[in-house]
Amino acid sequence: PGGRPGGGSAAGGEAPRPEPLQLQMQVPFLVALKGGTQRLHLPSGRDIDMRIPVGTENGAQLRLPNQGRVGSDGRVGDVIVTVGVESHPVFRRDGNNILTELPIDLDQAVLGDRVTVPTIDGPVTMRVPAGSNTGTKLRLRGKGVPARRSIEAGDQFVSLRIVLANPKDPSLTEFLRARNEQKTKDQKADAD
């Protein structure tokens, strides 16, 4: 009445399989998103190239079969690796979407322009509509986390931030003074 032959049951006389060895690994942001390999140093002294699946999230656990501790009967346990995804200076992840902020100057915001935007696959050109403001969000379809299995690719959302290239530009200063003087005249005319 022990376990099945070769079934690994402790009741059948075999020692239980060793508990999985728990390790942690930091993975660069783009490797976690796009997939790839990352070198992992095992406590046994061996180094292996571990496959990181496309779209790996922070805290994901990846299993390496038969790479862990050796039991008393010679059987080898697994290794479970908890992934920590490093932050990126340009991109943030929100589910399957990528978020980024793009500085534009006042002319581009008011008049509109074509600008270069960084994506996880390299720079692309995007149109900034005339009359954009700080906080305006533009979407780049399909430029988020790549598609995998039954999950569609995410999008990239670009949040605009207006920066003054040269706030002491005399032409900008003169324009704003003249505009404010006109507003003051208009308000006085409306009050009369």
Side-chain angles (χ1 to χ4, degrees):
R4 296 174 313 206
S9 166
E14 284 188 42
R17 192 162 187 220
E19 284 292 314
L21 181 62
Q22 303 283 336
L23 297 178
Q24 295 186 348
M25 167 192 270
Q26 288 298 110
V27 175
F29 185 85
L30 294 177
V31 173
L33 284 187
K34 299 171 76 171
T37 58
Q38 191 74 16
R39 177 126 321 202
L40 176 66
H41 182 73
L42 297 173
S44 66
R46 286 184 48 220
D47 288 337
I48 63 169
D49 288 328
M50 183 170 170
R51 190 180 71 77
I52 307 298
V54 171
T56 297
E57 296 190 56
N58 194 48
Q61 293 191 326
L62 305 177
R63 182 177 291 268
L64 293 169
N66 304 316
Q67 298 292 331
R69 296 182 183 100
V70 179
S72 59
D73 63 350
R75 291 191 305 162
V76 181
D78 296 342
V79 172
I80 296 178
V81 180
T82 301
V83 175
V85 178
E86 296 172 357
S87 61
H88 193 278
V90 175
F91 307 114
R92 285 182 310 140
R93 182 173 180 172
D94 181 20
N96 277 344
N97 297 320
I98 299 295
L99 309 177
T100 190
E101 187 177 77
L102 182 71
I104 60 171
D105 64 32
L106 188 59
D107 292 352
Q108 291 171 315
V110 172
L111 304 173
D113 198 3
R114 295 190 71 73
V115 295
T116 301
V117 179
T119 74
I120 63 170
D121 295 317
V124 299
T125 302
M126 177 181 76
R127 189 180 68 77
V128 172
S132 292
N133 206 339
T134 289
T136 298
K137 286 190 178 161
L138 305 175
R139 177 187 293 201
L140 294 169
R141 292 191 187 278
K143 293 293 184 184
V145 178
R148 59 204 185 281
R149 294 187 208 122
S150 60
I151 299 173
E152 292 182 21
D155 298 327
Q156 180 171 333
F157 290 91
V158 180
S159 182
L160 301 179
R161 181 172 47 91
I162 299 171
V163 293
L164 298 178
N166 181 3
K168 296 183 179 185
D169 180 355
S171 60
L172 178 59
T173 304
E174 287 305 314
F175 167 76
L176 291 174
R177 279 197 183 118
R179 183 170 170 254
N180 283 340
E181 287 173 11
Q182 186 60 47
K183 276 175 44 179
T184 302
K185 287 178 188 175
D186 291 346
Q187 288 170 349
K188 285 182 181 176
D190 286 346
D192 291 339

